[in-house]
Amino acid sequence: SMGSRVFLLGVLSYVIMHLFIIKPNYLYTLGHEVMHVLATWVCGGGVKSFNVTKEGGSVQTTKTNAFITLSPYYVPAYTLIFSLLYFLLPLFVKIPNLKNIYLFLAGFSLALHLIFTADVLRKEQPDVINTGYIFSLVIIYIVNMLLVAFVMSLLFDGISFENFFRQTYINSKHIYVRIFKQLFFL
């Protein structure tokens, strides 16, 4: 459909920009730190300081937990912001072609999120292989896969989020059963 083509054009535009023109590090860092802030607010915490530079960023909050720490890796800040604007703007102003503008920006921002997340996780602590790190990677991977499957199910006919979920569950169950049998020689 036209919508899915516009979305994929957004994805492709970001990939080309990232590979050949500029990697928007500041933009990514800003979104990353904003997600920490939003997650902190959702959990009832407060923000003491907020700092973003080209080199990196930091946020000091009154509370922290796994959700707050990992939120930037599985919630695409800009896609979230564009989605809110897509639903809120029509309440105040009529924008021609809003759906296509949104789909392009959603594709663009989702690509930014996935590429930077992969990049950051690859660079960030490859030597720290402890339970927390492995657990975090698994959670981040699963949530991002679900996110992409959900977005694809909204955009493309013939892709069903429920089917994806069901198949993933069935396949995972088979894998775990086989691992269990191997471990305990059943």
Side-chain angles (χ1 to χ4, degrees):
S1 70
M2 176 64 177
S4 54
R5 280 201 288 275
V6 173
F7 176 82
L8 290 173
L9 184 65
V11 170
L12 190 64
S13 298
Y14 179 77
V15 170
I16 289 169
M17 184 184 97
H18 189 94
L19 291 176
F20 303 111
I21 303 164
I22 186 173
K23 292 178 176 68
N25 292 316
Y26 182 84
L27 199 65
Y28 171 76
T29 304
L30 179 64
H32 182 102
E33 301 306 335
V34 164
M35 267 329 301
H36 281 308
V37 170
L38 294 176
T40 302
W41 289 343
V42 165
C43 294
V47 175
K48 288 189 273 191
S49 76
F50 183 87
N51 175 36
V52 176
T53 66
K54 269 189 287 236
E55 286 71 49
S58 65
V59 171
Q60 284 190 312
T61 57
T62 56
K63 74 184 294 183
T64 188
N65 57 38
F67 173 71
I68 292 169
T69 306
L70 297 178
S71 61
Y73 300 109
Y74 50 70
V75 181
Y78 294 108
T79 312
L80 183 70
I81 292 164
F82 292 141
S83 299
L84 289 172
L85 288 173
Y86 177 66
F87 292 108
L88 293 176
L89 283 176
L91 303 175
F92 307 100
V93 62
K94 177 113 178 70
I95 301 172
N97 238 346
L98 180 64
K99 187 174 185 192
N100 283 338
I101 295 168
Y102 166 68
L103 288 172
F104 178 86
L105 291 173
F108 189 90
S109 59
L110 197 57
L112 178 146
H113 166 74
L114 293 171
I115 290 171
F116 264 104
T117 297
D119 218 35
V120 165
L121 291 174
R122 198 166 44 88
K123 285 180 195 143
E124 231 121 280
Q125 312 137 313
D127 50 342
V128 187
I129 309 279
N130 56 32
T131 330
Y133 185 69
I134 296 294
F135 173 76
S136 302
L137 286 181
V138 169
I139 295 295
I140 290 163
Y141 176 76
I142 290 170
V143 173
N144 276 299
M145 286 307 300
L146 291 173
L147 178 78
V148 169
F150 180 70
V151 170
M152 293 300 168
S153 73
L154 295 178
L155 291 174
F156 300 99
D157 300 333
I159 295 180
S160 157
F161 186 63
E162 296 86 83
N163 286 348
F164 171 81
F165 213 84
R166 194 178 308 110
Q167 273 312 118
T168 303
Y169 167 75
I170 291 167
N171 293 339
S172 302
K173 195 175 86 180
H174 287 311
I175 291 167
Y176 285 114
V177 166
R178 290 181 72 173
I179 289 171
F180 190 81
K181 283 181 176 176
Q182 288 292 313
L183 285 174
F184 299 103
F185 313 109
L186 297 173

